[in-house]
């Protein structure tokens, strides 16, 4: 499998090259040259690991099977994921199913890909003979940062810098990142929102002076964000696995269509569902669920993507995003893989903050994507509804998706898989308030009370967090991100 750029401005890349570069150096994102089809027996695999092996092998053809296998085994095991089959599928009533993706070390779905990424990166370096130091840049709205830090920390030949919006992440998310140890990690709060962090990080990738300077020190930049294909491919696996589980449990007949509903921010997780469908998984509709930052709902309804709007801080901070990077890959795919067609849209967005797609592309999207959003009262009501109906406790992001699927999903449609993207313990204060109606301003007391309510211990990612020493306290204006990276890189240079 070779990889091409969404702006058609890069020669073919191998999977290793795509993972190491992260994004196309002159702009655009890597996509596979073609979309491989699921093998006849992929849905019949006995466990997650075997399913992952089939799917990943189709995308990582430059990895020898035993090498890929070793990467997957070191990732998808009971030590990293505390549920028997890595992910967990639970009935939610009315043919709706929660696909729990948060049993990894940091309690967010991003662990599924980010626990694997360091193994992919290290292998890719040895396959391409790359002896340089890899500096991973990450912009985070809260969850990616910690998942990436846990994945890459103390991995030889790799360092990681994380930028998060100051005041834009929850207290637990902030502490998770700020208490990260490891000899190769650095975390900065940026005075801006997530979009500023992401745009700033992307600008560093496109900065050829910076690249040359770092190359002089034998350092190369890469990214742990979902603009990296290595983040997306592992996410395809769990949708295929969820379908297989539904069929194995007799909830659907093999070949039946399902709907998939995803709480969306950077459009990575829902895009992975799209790739699963393109590979042949019987998926009828994709429900794109947004919080109050409903720019995607408006876009899918009108065909106009307009970033000139108010940015809202919500109880689902990982979805507080106005510029969804992976939309670029999606439009490339939907618009017939025509780089010349989509390039002007992203140029327009860059220059004017707005673009409009053509009627044909809009029509293709309408046939597949159902957009919806939930405001804050609706999200809180949904957490309470689900708890009353099923006894299950869902987090604020999952609640956005659950509310959207309940409100706009067809009453007698196919089974719906709802991506459950974070543990409720990560957002305990809001979840507790939604269920009990009482505010508990101390997040750690809220975690304890939620644990009592749930009758189970809190997720290990948040237990004892308040006692760990804070190791990262740096705060930067947006304009200093470049200097911060250079400073950290010089430190890497002297250490190695
Ligand atoms: C990152 C994240 C999302 C959004 O996923 P995207 O791939 O960015 O669309 C949703 N929920 C949680 C809990 C997340 O951490």
């Amino acid at each position: 499998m070779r990889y091409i750029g969404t702006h058609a401005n890069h020669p073919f890349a191998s999977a290793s090259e795509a993972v190491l570069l992260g994004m196309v150096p002159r702009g655009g994102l890597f996509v596979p040259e073609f979309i491989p089809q699921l093998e006849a027996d992929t849905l019949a695999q006995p466990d997650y690991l075997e399913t992952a092996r089939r799917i990943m092998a189709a995308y990582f053809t430059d990895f020898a099977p035993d090498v890929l296998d070793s990467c997957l085994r070191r990732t998808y095991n009971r030590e990293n994921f505390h549920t028997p089959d890595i992910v967990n599928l639970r009935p939610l009533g009315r043919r709706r199913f929660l696909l729990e993706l948060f049993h990894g070390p940091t309690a967010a779905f991003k662990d599924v890909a980010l626990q694997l990424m360091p193994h992919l990166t290290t292998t890719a370096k040895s396959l391409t003979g790359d002896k340089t130091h890899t500096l991973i840049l990450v912009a985070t709205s809260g969850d990616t940062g910690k998942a990436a830090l846990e994945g890459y920390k103390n991995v030889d030949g790799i360092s990681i810098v994380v930028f998060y919006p100051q005041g834009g992440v929850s207290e637990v998310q902030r502490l998770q990142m700020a208490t990260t140890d490891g000899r190769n990690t650095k975390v900065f709060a940026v005075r801006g929102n997530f979009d500023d962090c992401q745009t700033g990080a992307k600008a560093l990738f496109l900065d050829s002076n910076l690249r040359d300077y770092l190359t002089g020190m034998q350092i190369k930049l890469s990214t742990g964000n979902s603009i990296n294909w290595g983040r997306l491919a592992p996410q395809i696996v769990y949708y295929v696995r969820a379908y297989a589980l539904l069929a194995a449990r007799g909830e659907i007949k093999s070949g039946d269509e399902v709907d998939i509903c995803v709480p969306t921010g950077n459009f990575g997780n829902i895009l992975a569902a799209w790739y699963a469908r393109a590979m042949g998984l019987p998926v009828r509709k994709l429900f794109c669920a947004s919080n109050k930052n409903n720019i995607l709902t408006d876009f899918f309804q009108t065909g106009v993507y307009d970033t000139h709007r108010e940015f809202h801080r919500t109880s689902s901070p990982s979805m507080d995003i106005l510029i969804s990077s992976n939309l670029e890959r999606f439009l490339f795919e939907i618009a017939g893989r025509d780089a010349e067609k989509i390039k002007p849209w992203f140029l327009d967005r860059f220059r004017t903050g707005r673009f409009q797609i053509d009627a044909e592309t809009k029509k293709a999207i309408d046939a597949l994507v159902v957009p919806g959003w939930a405001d804050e009262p609706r999200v809180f009501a949904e957490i309470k509804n689900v708890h009353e109906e099923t006894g299950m406790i869902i987090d604020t992001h999952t609640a956005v998706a659950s509310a959207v699927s309940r409100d706009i999903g067809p009453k007698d449609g196919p089974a719906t898989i709802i991506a459950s993207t974070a543990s409720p313990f990560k957002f305990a204060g809001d979840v507790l308030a939604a269920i009990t109606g009482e505010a508990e301003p101390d997040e750690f007391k809220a975690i304890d009370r939620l644990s009592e309510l749930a009758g189970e211990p809190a997720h290990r990612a948040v237990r004892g967090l308040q006692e760990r020493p804070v190791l990262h306290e740096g705060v930067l204006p947006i304009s200093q991100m470049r200097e911060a990276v250079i400073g950290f890189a010089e430190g890497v240079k002297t250490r190695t």
Side-chain angles (χ1 to χ4, degrees):
M1 175 69 73
R2 300 185 296 182
Y3 290 79
I4 56 176
T6 50
H7 291 182
N9 58 0
H10 193 81
F12 287 116
S14 67
S16 293
E17 288 162 343
V19 165
L20 292 178
L21 286 169
M23 67 180 278
V24 180
R26 285 163 59 220
L29 302 178
F30 286 111
V31 290
E33 184 187 10
F34 64 93
I35 297 172
Q37 294 302 295
L38 294 176
E39 288 166 38
D41 63 349
T42 302
L43 285 165
Q45 294 308 309
D47 60 22
Y48 194 92
L49 187 66
E50 292 294 335
T51 313
R53 196 178 278 147
R54 303 288 155 132
I55 292 168
M56 293 297 285
Y59 289 105
F60 286 77
T61 49
D62 52 341
F63 284 44
D66 61 321
V67 174
L68 181 61
D69 189 47
S70 152
C71 294
L72 296 171
R73 276 182 190 285
R74 281 180 287 161
T75 304
Y76 300 120
N77 54 50
R78 286 300 295 275
E79 205 180 307
N80 292 337
F81 294 89
H82 291 196
T83 194
D85 200 34
I86 308 305
V87 299
N88 192 19
L89 193 69
R90 300 173 76 180
L92 192 56
R94 289 203 312 160
R95 311 259 306 132
R96 305 193 308 146
F97 297 86
L98 275 186
L99 175 59
E100 291 181 349
L101 304 170
F102 53 75
H103 296 285
T106 78
F109 85 86
K110 279 141 180 139
D111 287 325
V112 179
L114 278 164
Q115 284 290 305
L116 179 62
M117 272 291 273
H119 300 300
L120 296 179
T121 306
T122 309
T123 308
K125 283 174 79 175
S126 80
L127 284 175
T128 57
D130 182 347
K131 301 261 190 319
T132 62
H133 190 90
T134 306
L135 182 51
I136 304 283
L137 297 189
V138 173
T140 182
S141 54
D143 287 336
T144 304
K146 180 58 177 176
L149 287 161
E150 276 310 300
Y152 292 106
K153 81 175 185 193
N154 296 331
V155 176
D156 286 339
I158 301 181
S159 298
I160 170 168
V161 181
V162 172
F163 298 103
Y164 73 87
Q166 186 184 27
V169 302
S170 78
E171 179 60 5
V172 165
Q173 288 176 319
R174 185 187 73 79
L175 279 176
Q176 276 189 298
M177 291 188 277
T179 58
T180 305
D181 55 2
R183 54 187 148 75
N184 60 342
T185 60
K186 193 81 192 170
V187 181
F188 292 107
V190 174
R191 293 197 197 101
N193 61 32
F194 169 73
D195 293 310
D196 297 321
C197 294
Q198 175 158 263
T199 305
K202 275 192 188 168
L204 298 180
F205 283 107
L206 301 176
D207 182 335
S208 55
N209 287 335
L210 177 66
R211 201 163 46 231
D212 291 346
Y213 180 70
L214 294 174
T215 306
M217 294 193 286
Q218 295 291 303
I219 294 173
K220 281 190 194 153
L221 293 181
S222 187
T223 173
N225 283 104
S226 58
I227 53 177
N228 194 319
W229 177 256
R231 276 283 306 278
L232 286 182
Q235 296 179 197
I236 298 170
V237 176
Y238 48 68
Y239 293 112
V240 175
R241 186 73 195 143
Y243 186 97
L245 288 174
L246 283 178
R249 293 183 195 168
E251 298 285 359
I252 57 171
K253 288 198 296 298
S254 173
D256 282 358
E257 287 190 319
V258 297
D259 286 343
I260 298 179
C261 181
V262 185
T264 298
N266 227 349
F267 211 75
N269 205 9
I270 192 168
L271 184 69
W274 184 87
Y275 275 105
R277 180 181 190 272
M279 291 178 78
L281 195 71
V283 177
R284 191 186 67 109
K285 300 277 185 190
L286 295 175
F287 283 75
C288 178
S290 298
N291 67 18
K292 198 173 175 198
N293 293 294
N294 57 356
I295 186 166
L296 286 168
T297 316
D298 289 350
F299 170 65
F300 287 126
Q301 276 166 359
T302 63
V304 177
Y305 196 89
D306 192 349
T307 60
H308 299 289
R309 53 167 67 217
E310 208 184 320
F311 177 88
H312 302 284
R313 295 227 150 112
T314 72
S315 59
S316 44
S318 300
M319 299 162 69
D320 291 344
I321 294 177
L322 294 183
I323 302 176
S324 297
S325 292
N326 276 297
L327 192 61
E328 179 162 341
R329 282 192 173 106
F330 181 64
L331 292 179
F332 177 82
E333 297 286 3
I334 289 280
R337 310 195 117 212
D338 182 349
E340 295 314 316
K341 187 164 174 176
I342 71 151
K343 239 159 61 180
W345 299 339
F346 290 92
L347 228 55
D348 279 354
R349 194 201 64 203
F350 190 71
R351 287 203 202 108
T352 68
R354 182 184 185 279
F355 69 88
Q356 176 160 19
I357 58 172
D358 64 302
E360 197 190 346
T361 307
K362 171 84 169 55
K363 202 166 150 228
I365 293 174
D366 288 347
L368 178 60
V369 176
V370 184
W373 70 288
D375 64 10
E376 293 291 89
R378 182 69 191 89
V379 170
F380 280 63
E382 185 63 12
I383 294 172
K384 191 174 169 66
N385 285 346
V386 167
H387 184 248
E388 279 172 0
E389 290 168 4
T390 68
M392 284 195 281
I393 300 178
I394 57 173
D395 98 291
T396 45
H397 303 73
T398 306
V400 171
S402 183
V404 166
S405 110
R406 194 195 295 264
D407 295 348
I408 65 171
K411 294 299 162 247
D412 43 25
T416 303
I417 296 167
I418 298 171
S420 180
T421 49
S423 159
F425 290 106
K426 216 165 173 174
F427 304 94
D430 287 330
V431 171
L432 189 73
I435 293 173
T436 66
E438 292 160 36
E440 172 49 77
D442 181 331
E443 195 63 20
F444 292 98
K445 287 200 184 118
I447 288 171
D448 290 343
R449 286 189 52 199
L450 198 63
S451 171
E452 276 165 37
L453 192 69
E456 60 178 273
H459 193 290
R460 63 196 188 283
V462 302
R463 284 201 301 261
L465 191 56
Q466 69 274 42
E467 274 112 51
R468 287 180 215 153
V470 169
L471 303 170
H472 304 272
E473 289 177 300
V475 182
L476 297 172
I478 301 160
S479 59
Q480 297 276 309
M481 287 172 66
R482 189 176 191 272
E483 273 64 29
V485 166
I486 291 175
F488 183 65
E490 284 168 347
V492 167
K493 172 85 179 130
T494 42
R495 278 202 308 279
T496 48

